[in-house]
Each structure stands twice: as structure tokens, then as C-alpha cells.
Amino acid sequence: MMAGQRPTTSAAPADTGRHAYLQNKVTRRRAIGPGLRTFLIFAVLVGLGALIFPSSYFYRVGTLVWINTLAVTGIVVLLGYVGLVSLGHAGFFAIGAYATAILPNYGVPSPLAMLSGVLLAGLLALVVGRPILKLSGYYLAIATLGLGMLIWMVLSKEAWLTGGPDGMTVSGMNARNLFKMVGLNLKSAEAWYWVAGFTAAIGAAIAVNLAGSPSGRSLRAIHDSDVAARSLGIDVARAKSRAFVISALYAAVAGGLLALANGYITPETGGFMHSVEMVTMAVLGGATSVFGALVGALILTALPQVLTVFADYEHMLLGGIMVVTMIAMRRGLVPFIADLWTRRKS
């Protein structure tokens, strides 16, 4: 080797191989797509739950988790993507539930009754959304709270139609019949678990695809700044109204599923506390992610069942866990865990 000449190394081939590996990895991810990947992850989680649940009680709790996940996914679209807080979304949930319960009494098939409730919730959100969404901050929260309270009052007072405060039974479709058509004989709780789980998976995939679309990017631009979004040519009022309607549709579908799975509903499905519960699920899990919706729904649906062993201290423990979680993880559990994972990899 001549003086001053540096020894050659194999760094270049190694770098080339690593670059090719990373490029292939990115290509595979793009081939799958974020929406399909989200659906597959949710589907695997649904299957894992079915494998470990020992009784119908656990299937019942699992069904509630997936129904709440679907409803909270709509909150993620509104709160996480656009930054709008709604304290009246339980009203849309109740519209879906009561339409599914009432219309079969007049000869309407359950699937069509549920679809009618979803369309009614979307239409109401479209009509009231434009004037309400001109507000912001706590003014918007109070306006949506008033909308939710109006829906709750109608459901509570019109006993001739809704059964009043006592609620009403829901007759109609049984999910077992759907699986019997393909030769599967499942218990009712198991059948509704699978229906709710895969509906939530489809809803999550749609929300993820929305986030990556031009419409989703415009929603996120509004989340950062209305003024900046307008300067980019985005119709802010129309985009906010679209997000409000989409979130209402999610809530109504979840309400219809709950009515069919429960076989009984009360006006409390449209009550203020239910709206607060849905927003809390989104914030606790992480309002910017559909996986945050799942984690938040899992915690606030399943954890109270676990804490019942503490009897009188159940609510105090649940509240304490939530307070500590939000102090330590202000963006929610899923973003906090994602940040930890990113720092560890780097």
C-alpha cells in the first residue's frame, strides 16, 4: 500500500444492502396500505379475543368494547383530525339505537331500520352542523351539549313512541342467523362479538384512509389553524361540516349495533354522561389515532368490570387511574407508547 493511501472497507456494499432492505420494506408497506393494515390488525385482535374468552360474559364485554371503539372512532375524526369538541354525540348514538328499535314495530326490517337511523343522524348533523360549527372552543361544546340534551328530552318524554324513561325492547335481527347461513352455529353473544368486532375494524380502516386522503389532510390543516387553512384555499366550513357528519354516522351505526346486541335500550344512551364517556375514551387512549379509540374504549369498558372486586372503592380507583394516566401521558396512552418506542429505536 502506498503512503497516504487509505485502506478500503466494505462499508459501501453494506450501506447498499441496508438501503435495499429499507426500500423493500417501504414498498411492502405501501403495497398493503394503511387502511388495510389497520383492518388486519383489528381483525387479528378480534380473533385473539375469541380464542381467550372463556364464557358468554366475556364475549358480551368484548362486544361493548368494539361498539364503543366504533363510536369513539367518530370522535377521533372530529376531535383528533379537526380539533372540534362535541358533548352531544350520544344524541346521534341514540338516534341510531332508537330507529333500530322503533321501525321494526312498523314492519321495517332491522337492517333497513338501522340504515334509516344512520341516515337520519347524518341528516341532522348536516342541518345543525353549519350554524353550530361557526362557534369554537367552549361555545361549540355548549352548543353540542344543548343538541344532545334536546335529543335526550325527546326520547324521555315521548313515551308513546320510545317507551319513555323505562326504555323499550328491541325485536328483530339476531346475528346467529347470519352465521347459520354459512354453516356456523354460534351463541348469540359470540355472534354479536364477531359482528361488532369486524364492523369496528371496517370503521377504523375507513378513518385511517380518510386521514391519508386529500380531505383528511385538509381536516388536519384546519386542526392547526383555520386562518392558514383558508389561505390554502380550503373551505373550512364545509370541511368541518363533513367531519361532523362523518362522526355522527359512526355514532349512529354504533348505537344501532348496541340496540340489536342488547335487545333493550333506554334514553340514557343519549344522555350527557354517555357523551362525556365517549370523549374521555378518545382523550385517554389518544384522540389522534384509531388505536387510541380502541385502547380508550377497552379501558373504560373493561376496567370497571375488573374493579368491581373492590366494591365501594370501584369508582374512586377508576377516577384515580384516569387522573394519574392523564397527568403522566397528556397526549393519551397510544401516542405516549409510540413516542417511547421511537426514542428506544433511535
Side-chain angles (χ1 to χ4, degrees), residues 120-346:
L120 178 60
L123 179 61
L124 179 62
L126 181 63
V127 171
V128 304
R130 280 285 178 143
I132 285 180
L133 295 172
K134 291 179 181 178
L135 305 172
S136 61
Y138 51 82
Y139 295 108
L140 174 61
I142 295 300
T144 55
L145 170 61
L147 173 63
M149 292 299 293
L150 282 174
I151 295 172
W152 174 81
M153 289 177 64
V154 170
L155 297 177
S156 299
K157 300 299 182 182
E158 302 300 323
W160 65 274
L161 181 65
T162 65
D166 295 331
M168 63 184 299
T169 57
V170 182
S171 60
M173 184 178 69
N174 191 325
R176 293 183 63 187
N177 298 331
L178 297 176
F179 290 93
K180 284 181 179 180
M181 294 171 61
V182 293
L184 296 175
N185 189 18
L186 300 178
K187 296 180 181 178
S188 181
E190 296 174 358
W192 281 117
Y193 171 81
W194 284 102
V195 170
F198 275 95
T199 304
I202 293 171
I206 292 173
V208 169
N209 281 335
L210 173 64
S213 69
S215 295
R217 288 192 288 272
S218 66
L219 295 179
R220 291 185 180 275
I222 295 170
H223 185 285
D224 295 333
S225 171
D226 283 13
V227 176
R230 285 193 186 94
S231 68
L232 295 172
I234 296 172
D235 188 339
V236 173
R238 184 177 180 182
K240 286 183 177 180
S241 179
R242 187 188 304 123
F244 194 65
V245 170
I246 290 172
S247 62
L249 295 177
Y250 272 92
V253 172
L257 283 176
L258 181 69
L260 291 171
N262 267 358
Y264 191 84
I265 52 171
T266 68
E268 293 309 310
T269 57
F272 167 66
M273 290 308 299
H274 190 200
S275 292
V276 172
E277 186 180 50
M278 287 195 289
V279 174
T280 304
M281 288 177 183
V283 174
L284 185 63
T288 58
S289 168
V290 295
F291 294 102
L294 171 58
V295 171
L298 177 63
I299 292 174
L300 286 191
T301 305
L303 189 58
Q305 312 300 323
V306 176
L307 295 178
T308 52
V309 297
F310 296 99
D312 296 336
Y313 301 100
E314 171 192 348
H315 296 292
M316 185 175 68
L317 287 172
L318 178 61
I321 292 171
M322 290 175 59
V323 169
V324 171
T325 301
M326 294 313 302
I327 291 175
M329 311 171 191
R330 296 184 181 181
R331 294 173 54 209
L333 279 165
V334 170
F336 178 79
I337 294 172
D339 289 343
L340 283 181
W341 178 256
T342 301
R343 286 199 295 269
R344 183 177 179 182
K345 287 181 69 176
S346 60

